[in-house]
Amino acid sequence: MSHTYNPLRTQFLPISQEDLAERGWDSLDFVFISGDAYVDHPSFAAAVIGRVLEAEGYRVGIIAQPDWTNPQSYLALGVPRLAFLVGAGNMDSMVAHYTANRRKRSEDAYSPGGKAGYRPDRATLKYVEGIRSVCKGVPVIIGGIEASLRRLVHYDYWTDKVRRSILLDSKADLLVYGMGEKPITEIARRLAAGEPIHTITDVRGTCVFNYGEPLLDPHCTVRLPDFETVARPDETGKRAYAWHFMLQKEHADPISGKILIEKTDTRWVIQNPPPLPPTTEELDHIYELPYTRQSHPVYQQAGGIPALTEVAFSLVSSRGCYGSCSFCAITFHQGRVVRGRSQKSLLREAALLRELPEFKGYIHDVGGPTANFFRPPCPKQAKGGACTTKECLSPEACSTLRADHREYLEVLRKLRALPGIKKVFIRSGIRFDYLLLDHNFGEAFLEELCAYHVSGQLKVAPEHVSDTVLNIMGKSGNRVYEQFRKKFEAINRKLGLKQYLIPYFIASHPGSGLNEAIELAEYLKKTGFIPDQVQDFYPTPGTLSTAMYYTGLDPRTMGPITVSRGERERKLQRALLQFDKPENWPLVREALIQAGREDLIGNRPNCLIPGTASSAHQKPEAPHKKSEPRSGGGNRPELKHKSRRTPSS
């Protein structure tokens, strides 16, 4: 069985001709071209897909971060027998390279030593172009976050334009979207049986293209607005884009979703329905494959791969998320149907961690996109998929939702009891609104969370305090967060612990103008918590919020919505969230005057900044001292596709 292997004796997948010679292989079935460095851990896409195919009997090699300026680098492992697999990495390459304000990043956590520059912009396009230039006739299959979220017409923030499907732009043969283990296994089987790539058109979780309108059953097919219409920069185009997005969202469920077709020039992109969610047994199998759980030794001299640090001793307990935050693309990638692993599998993996020499007794996380979503929220989702016309938690919790932390709590208790385990942390995020809905086990879970699974600070994501903005974000109202905050403080007082909530907030999200940003600043002033760093809204492919940003419409209602587009207003909103910094006072003053809120300028307790230049060295009087410390929350690129902890193919 897969769980009997020893990670200290397992081999890395081959990355060189020397590795092939050591195995006695003269060729490979698949070569995976990856935009990330090769980390053989179940939180990294290339490792997961490689190990899944290996378990099916295929020979797989990895070319990690090839030199895209030298096309011969794609042939380092020879020509694969069945196909090249191409993935830009665990993050969209543009998100990996640029901040929300389009500034170049100097670091890349998925590259050797954390240094930037090891992959190109739009890595999927560049890699396929390079492969095609040196190797004709071999199938090329693209996948991963970058391809998955760009699989159909999409708004591209970095060029401020609507782009075609990445399948057409890349000239690949096939696109795998979502979590790719099931699709790639079926494709491999059919390729190995001699079926040509151009006839593999019906696999769930894939997109293909066709010259001429496809002949499909109209009862099972939905036609999306054409690219030429959606790409128009006028009101007609914006409304078509919003409608296009809602049709995708409506058909993102594997049970009820239909085939989507989209016309671009003379070609048609065909999106097959999503793959069926993995069973618990299938998840157990995937995460217990023989990973070395380390970065490849070739990166040791460069300092290793920083992205491994956070997840090296973490356990992926579930997939999918029914939280449906507007700014998150997880529902378009992993889906809303939640599936969790078995307790036995998680305990086996935890026991395996103890064999690693670097393990010090601390499990860093037990979770997924949302840690306390461990099983489906209602019988309908368990049997028939997610609802297409309503959300589970917003604007109010669905009447059929059954919040239950019992099984997740049992897992945590059993993990804590394992010999050699000193501490089990939870870092992948808690939905506090869901927790409060559990009237049977929620209180016990929160108490044990505070007692055993938090180390001084618990990071949570209320995101805003304006109920108008929260509704647009798909989040519960601010009163829910306040209720949770009070419970958290009460339980820590009961336990005699001094622990703090570290809330994340987003500036300049659609729906948030200066008035809403000021409302948030006033809340921060009142509570005494001011973040060290602020997350600016980042319009990335595959999110409802990005559709709002581009169109100026709420696609759910087609009504107009406030959008902060200019860099100046984004700066003003960001400065308001850090109003206590003297270097921000000119921007804060400009924002307050512009909004007609001069009442917040002065030295009174409610004021945000000093009133005159002569008092600029003095901060306004604080209303009262609060116990929360300043946060080091940081910029969160993972907000756009919370799949950092979970692999994508």
Side-chain angles (χ1 to χ4, degrees):
M1 295 179 67
S2 61
H3 63 269
T4 59
Y5 85 94
N6 183 333
L8 301 179
R9 291 196 291 269
T10 190
Q11 284 183 306
F12 286 90
L13 295 170
I15 67 166
S16 65
Q17 288 290 337
E18 291 75 17
D19 291 343
L20 297 182
E22 184 178 327
R23 288 166 172 77
W25 296 352
D26 56 4
S27 64
L28 293 167
D29 297 314
F30 294 96
V31 172
F32 196 124
I33 308 295
S34 173
D36 290 340
Y38 174 30
V39 180
D40 195 42
H41 185 280
S43 288
F44 292 78
V48 172
I49 296 304
R51 292 299 185 185
V52 165
L53 289 171
E54 179 187 54
E56 295 293 319
Y58 300 102
R59 296 177 177 181
V60 185
I62 295 178
I63 300 177
Q65 300 183 320
D67 177 4
W68 68 91
T69 65
N70 176 17
Q72 292 299 317
S73 64
Y74 300 108
L75 299 178
L77 294 174
V79 177
R81 181 174 68 95
L82 298 178
F84 282 101
L85 309 178
V86 175
N90 273 23
M91 291 177 65
D92 184 293
S93 61
M94 299 301 285
V95 176
H97 285 175
Y98 300 95
T99 70
N101 293 303
R102 299 189 180 95
R103 291 186 175 86
K104 193 84 170 180
R105 298 187 194 274
S106 59
E107 298 178 346
D108 184 342
Y110 292 90
S111 294
K115 295 180 180 179
Y118 283 90
R119 77 181 99 207
D121 286 356
R122 308 190 189 279
T124 302
L125 302 182
K126 202 69 179 178
Y127 291 158
V128 177
E129 178 187 11
I131 292 168
R132 293 295 196 203
S133 70
V134 294
C135 192
K136 309 293 184 183
V138 178
V140 178
I141 303 169
I142 60 176
I145 286 286
E146 184 163 282
S148 181
L149 301 183
R150 298 168 181 267
R151 59 188 183 261
L152 296 170
V153 168
H154 58 280
Y155 170 69
D156 185 77
Y157 173 63
W158 302 274
T159 58
D160 195 26
K161 293 180 180 178
V162 173
R163 292 179 67 105
R164 302 178 299 178
S165 164
I166 196 172
L167 178 62
L168 301 181
D169 278 347
S170 69
K171 299 181 176 62
D173 296 292
L174 191 64
L175 183 154
V176 174
Y177 70 88
M179 307 303 281
E181 298 95 346
K182 284 189 174 184
I184 199 62
T185 300
E186 181 178 347
I187 293 165
R189 176 180 57 78
R190 291 169 68 170
L191 287 173
E195 187 172 349
I197 188 73
H198 67 269
T199 66
I200 304 177
T201 61
D202 58 348
V203 178
R204 280 179 168 270
T206 65
C207 292
V208 298
F209 71 91
N210 196 54
Y211 287 97
E213 185 170 357
L215 300 176
L216 299 169
D217 184 349
H219 299 292
C220 304
T221 307
V222 172
R223 179 171 175 175
L224 302 173
D226 297 349
F227 169 74
E228 283 74 13
T229 301
V230 173
R232 287 174 56 173
D234 57 14
E235 183 180 353
T236 298
K238 299 290 179 67
R239 295 187 71 83
Y241 187 99
W243 177 236
H244 184 287
F245 181 88
M246 289 307 291
L247 286 173
Q248 288 187 68
K249 187 174 185 295
E250 181 181 345
H251 293 281
D253 182 74
I255 304 299
S256 62
K258 295 183 178 181
I259 297 171
L260 302 181
I261 60 173
E262 173 187 88
K263 184 174 183 290
T264 299
D265 49 62
T266 61
R267 293 169 294 177
W268 295 74
V269 175
I270 304 165
Q271 176 186 295
N272 291 304
L276 295 174
T279 64
T280 293
E281 292 73 21
E282 288 170 337
L283 278 181
D284 290 350
H285 167 73
I286 290 167
Y287 289 104
E288 292 191 79
L289 290 169
Y291 307 94
T292 66
R293 310 187 74 89
Q294 298 174 342
S295 59
H296 198 282
V298 295
Y299 308 121
Q300 188 172 355
Q301 187 173 355
I305 310 301
L308 176 61
T309 304
E310 279 294 307
V311 299
F313 308 118
S314 297
L315 306 178
V316 176
S317 60
S318 64
R319 278 194 188 174
C321 182
Y322 45 83
S324 298
C325 300
S326 301
F327 49 78
C328 180
I330 203 71
T331 54
F332 267 42
H333 190 68
Q334 290 194 19
R336 289 175 60 197
V337 177
V338 170
R339 289 288 187 268
R341 290 171 61 188
S342 71
Q343 293 188 20
K344 289 182 179 179
S345 176
L346 288 166
L347 291 170
R348 286 195 296 264
E349 188 176 355
L352 185 143
L353 293 179
R354 297 177 303 183
E355 300 181 32
L356 300 173
E358 301 89 354
F359 185 67
K360 306 300 181 185
Y362 299 95
I363 294 177
H364 294 163
D365 190 20
V366 183
T370 300
N372 55 332
F373 290 174
F374 192 57
R375 295 287 185 248
C378 69
K380 181 185 184 303
Q381 191 182 93
K383 295 179 180 179
C387 297
T388 59
T389 58
K390 61 180 180 179
E391 306 295 346
C392 298
L393 286 165
S394 67
E396 300 290 341
C398 177
S399 60
T400 65
L401 185 144
R402 298 291 180 264
D404 188 353
H405 290 77
R406 174 177 46 189
E407 192 173 358
Y408 186 49
L409 193 54
E410 288 176 359
V411 168
L412 295 174
R413 288 169 176 170
K414 290 177 180 178
L415 288 170
R416 296 198 309 257
L418 284 176
I421 302 299
K422 298 176 183 177
K423 190 88 172 179
V424 179
F425 294 105
I426 299 176
R427 293 181 177 175
S428 55
I430 297 292
R431 273 299 288 246
F432 51 81
D433 49 357
Y434 176 78
L435 188 155
L436 294 175
L437 292 169
D438 185 353
H439 302 300
N440 295 316
F441 298 96
E443 194 85 17
F445 174 75
L446 182 55
E447 185 162 330
E448 293 194 24
L449 175 70
C450 294
Y452 301 110
H453 304 292
V454 177
S455 180
Q457 299 177 348
L458 176 64
K459 296 178 180 179
V460 289
E463 311 295 5
H464 215 281
V465 298
S466 164
D467 285 344
T468 300
V469 179
L470 289 168
N471 180 60
I472 291 168
M473 288 179 166
K475 304 283 284 187
S476 300
N478 186 52
R479 61 176 177 80
V480 179
Y481 174 66
E482 285 299 301
Q483 183 184 353
F484 174 75
R485 185 172 68 87
K486 290 173 183 176
K487 276 185 174 289
F488 179 84
E489 291 172 354
I491 285 176
N492 278 286
R493 283 196 300 269
K494 173 185 171 182
L495 296 173
L497 298 172
K498 194 173 183 179
Q499 300 190 125
Y500 307 98
L501 286 178
I502 305 298
Y504 286 126
F505 296 104
I506 299 179
S508 304
H509 188 278
S512 176
L514 285 181
N515 288 330
E516 288 77 19
I518 291 169
E519 182 181 352
L520 177 51
E522 289 183 283
Y523 173 86
L524 297 174
K525 172 81 173 186
K526 178 182 176 181
T527 59
F529 174 89
I530 303 180
D532 280 342
Q533 293 179 309
V534 173
Q535 172 70 33
D536 286 313
F537 169 65
Y538 202 159
T540 57
T543 75
L544 176 59
S545 297
T546 298
M548 294 174 180
Y549 176 88
Y550 171 62
T551 64
L553 301 169
D554 184 339
R556 300 169 298 184
T557 64
M558 289 295 180
I561 194 170
T562 300
V563 175
S564 300
R565 285 184 164 276
E567 185 177 347
R568 188 64 179 178
E569 184 168 346
R570 288 168 69 90
K571 281 185 177 180
L572 295 181
Q573 290 205 32
R574 187 167 61 251
L576 281 164
L577 270 61
Q578 297 176 308
F579 61 85
D580 71 327
K581 292 186 174 182
E583 61 268 30
N584 285 342
W585 289 349
L587 289 171
V588 175
R589 178 175 281 102
E590 179 183 339
L592 294 174
I593 293 173
Q594 187 174 323
R597 293 301 307 272
E598 290 91 337
D599 59 299
L600 297 178
I601 302 173
N603 293 315
R604 298 176 301 281
N606 68 313
C607 291
L608 298 181
I609 59 170
T612 64
S614 61
S615 61
H617 65 283
Q618 298 177 343
K619 288 189 179 182
E621 181 183 343
H624 52 275
K625 186 177 181 180
K626 285 286 181 179
S627 57
E628 289 96 337
R630 287 170 58 91
S631 163
N635 196 29
R636 292 184 295 159
E638 63 269 25
L639 269 176
K640 279 65 65 184
H641 40 79
K642 292 184 181 179
S643 62
R644 176 183 61 83
R645 283 216 41 338
T646 47
S648 55
S649 64

